[in-house]
Amino acid sequence: MFSKLTFALLSAFVQLGLALNQGDLTVSLQAIESSVKSVGDIILTAVISNPTENDVRVLRAHNVLDTSATQSFDITSSDGTMVPFAGIKPTIDLSNESAYVIIPAGQSVAVNHSIGSFYDFSSFATGTSFSFAPRTTFQLGYDDTPIVADAAPVEVKVNEDLSFTPFFASPGASLSTPTCSDGGKLGVITDSLRYARSLAGGAATDITSSAPNGPHFQTYFGGNSNSDIWYNLDRIAGDLVGNRGIYCAIDYADSRDGCNNNPSWIAYTVINGADNPIYVCELFFQAGSTPNICNTHTYDDTMSSNGGIILHELSHAVDGTDDVIYGCSASATLSPADKKRNADNYRCLGLNVYLDWNCIHGPL
């Protein structure tokens, strides 16, 4: 289902006279055709250039370097209406080298995007023009300040066919019900779901009862309304948006291929506007248990807690969060608006509260 990411290296000129710092990147975007018959004909080419004298290694998830089904663009119609995203939102293992791309010094990487299957244009009228704004935040690692490149959007007019055929077919299931053919793995998912709900509930209680303006909240959600964040966490704890399954990806050909072709994926949520199912890859079963953070006293790593991973994915499925950045140290540096919409901020708050309270008073 997924093709492995391939890149074409292009020669690029270093612009003389510019005081560029190591790590600076530039992004340009071009539509192969500015007017097309159907959304399936939309092809965009992004060129990411490194004009410095040093190679730059960046995460390729959730930006224009990623040609998988993650969100590489924000698309709006001519009247400013957002086109719904209908792809996937994965949790990434940032220690897995396959998650990164090296852009050589003085060179560029060109990436082609065909995106008709990952966005739902069906509610718009034929003849509508759409603006495609590339996502250009490039994370270097857990604790490094990401590179945010400027890039101009491009417009494409779709003249006839705006129909939507989902790229992902949901097996169909009830409210967040773990499903797996392997009994042992089913037990791990079930336990992780229990911890995810408990982590969200504990964090919700902490910011309303124990420490409504305390350091936990300020670190991961400072500048936001306390009640807004409580509401999002409470929805996760209660799992209040139904018709969802949590599946072993290995049980289905499409999801198995997705995980195999993207070995840094731990788990992912399919955004389909209905049940938003969650799939866990084989890497998920290598993650630490939630009580183990009482021994390690660390939770920055996305692999530190399988309960934290499910909490991250439930925030996508229930609250519609995004993946702005990964890792707790990096998540704490975001703007208030990005903190509210970033899935890892919810994971990090839940694990921070768990570490401070449950590792002292005993496991949940």
Side-chain angles (χ1 to χ4, degrees), residues 52-74:
T52 74
E53 297 179 354
N54 299 280
D55 294 350
V56 177
R57 171 181 172 271
V58 295
L59 190 70
R60 66 177 176 91
H62 303 290
N63 56 49
V64 290
L65 283 168
D66 192 355
T67 58
S68 71
T70 62
Q71 190 168 4
S72 298
F73 298 90
D74 292 306

Side-chain angles (χ1 to χ4, degrees), residues 168-179 242-247 252 270 272 274-279:
F168 304 95
S170 171
S174 58
L175 173 65
S176 286
T177 302
T179 302
N243 299 321
R244 178 182 316 102
I246 303 178
Y247 304 98
Y252 305 93
V270 175
N272 61 11
D275 53 334
N276 296 337
I278 296 170
Y279 293 83

Side-chain angles (χ1 to χ4, degrees), residues 40 90 125-126 157 173 218 224 238 240 259 324 342:
T126 56
K157 182 180 180 181
Q218 292 302 322
N224 282 282
L240 297 179
C259 293
V324 180
N342 188 50

Side-chain angles (χ1 to χ4, degrees), residues 244-311:
R244 178 182 316 102
I246 303 178
Y247 304 98
C248 277
I250 199 171
D251 286 343
Y252 305 93
D254 285 353
S255 54
R256 181 171 61 247
D257 289 346
C259 293
N260 288 341
N261 291 336
N262 297 275
S264 65
W265 287 4
I266 308 170
Y268 65 86
T269 301
V270 175
I271 306 302
N272 61 11
D275 53 334
N276 296 337
I278 296 170
Y279 293 83
V280 298
C281 301
E282 290 301 285
L283 190 58
F284 173 82
F285 300 103
Q286 300 175 31
S289 68
T290 299
N292 191 53
I293 70 168
C294 293
N295 300 321
T296 63
H297 287 263
T298 61
Y299 52 88
D300 195 24
D301 188 343
T302 49
M303 287 284 286
S304 63
S305 159
N306 45 27
I309 294 166
I310 297 299
L311 170 54

Side-chain angles (χ1 to χ4, degrees), residues 95-117:
S95 67
N96 192 307
E97 194 58 33
S98 69
Y100 297 88
V101 171
I102 295 177
I103 306 176
Q107 296 190 42
S108 299
V109 167
V111 186
N112 288 328
H113 292 269
S114 298
I115 60 176
S117 298

Side-chain angles (χ1 to χ4, degrees), residues 77-350:
S77 65
S78 53
D79 66 359
T81 303
M82 186 69 71
V83 177
F85 175 64
I88 67 169
K89 295 182 178 182
T91 301
I92 303 292
D93 176 11
L94 269 68
S95 67
N96 192 307
E97 194 58 33
S98 69
Y100 297 88
V101 171
I102 295 177
I103 306 176
Q107 296 190 42
S108 299
V109 167
V111 186
N112 288 328
H113 292 269
S114 298
I115 60 176
S117 298
F118 308 140
Y119 295 83
D120 185 359
F121 294 84
S122 61
S123 63
F124 298 91
T126 56
T128 299
S129 292
F130 297 93
S131 175
F132 296 78
R135 292 194 164 192
T136 57
T137 297
F138 302 99
Q139 191 169 354
L140 306 177
Y142 280 112
D143 299 324
D144 295 317
T145 301
I147 300 168
V148 181
D150 293 327
V154 298
E155 288 198 0
V156 178
K157 182 180 180 181
V158 183
N159 296 298
E160 296 183 25
D161 185 6
L162 289 156
S163 61
F164 175 62
T165 301
F167 197 67
F168 304 95
S170 171
S174 58
L175 173 65
S176 286
T177 302
T179 302
C180 189
S181 62
D182 184 307
K185 292 177 180 177
L186 176 61
V188 173
I189 299 172
T190 301
D191 189 61
S192 300
L193 175 60
R194 179 176 69 87
Y195 270 107
R197 289 169 169 163
S198 185
L199 290 170
T205 299
D206 184 73
I207 64 175
T208 55
S209 303
S210 302
N213 293 300
H216 304 142
F217 181 82
Q218 292 302 322
T219 296
Y220 296 112
F221 292 102
N224 282 282
S225 163
N226 188 285
S227 60
D228 285 352
I229 304 305
W230 171 87
Y231 177 76
N232 288 347
L233 287 165
D234 190 59
R235 280 162 54 88
I236 297 170
D239 206 3
L240 297 179
V241 179
N243 299 321
R244 178 182 316 102
I246 303 178
Y247 304 98
C248 277
I250 199 171
D251 286 343
Y252 305 93
D254 285 353
S255 54
R256 181 171 61 247
D257 289 346
C259 293
N260 288 341
N261 291 336
N262 297 275
S264 65
W265 287 4
I266 308 170
Y268 65 86
T269 301
V270 175
I271 306 302
N272 61 11
D275 53 334
N276 296 337
I278 296 170
Y279 293 83
V280 298
C281 301
E282 290 301 285
L283 190 58
F284 173 82
F285 300 103
Q286 300 175 31
S289 68
T290 299
N292 191 53
I293 70 168
C294 293
N295 300 321
T296 63
H297 287 263
T298 61
Y299 52 88
D300 195 24
D301 188 343
T302 49
M303 287 284 286
S304 63
S305 159
N306 45 27
I309 294 166
I310 297 299
L311 170 54
H312 177 116
E313 295 304 324
L314 282 175
S315 77
H316 290 320
V318 176
D319 293 323
T321 60
D322 209 338
D323 287 313
V324 180
I325 206 165
Y326 295 100
C328 298
S329 299
S331 296
T333 67
L334 294 173
S335 68
D338 281 344
K339 285 180 177 179
K340 183 179 179 180
R341 70 186 184 96
N342 188 50
D344 238 22
N345 285 69
Y346 295 87
R347 177 185 73 87
C348 296
L349 176 62

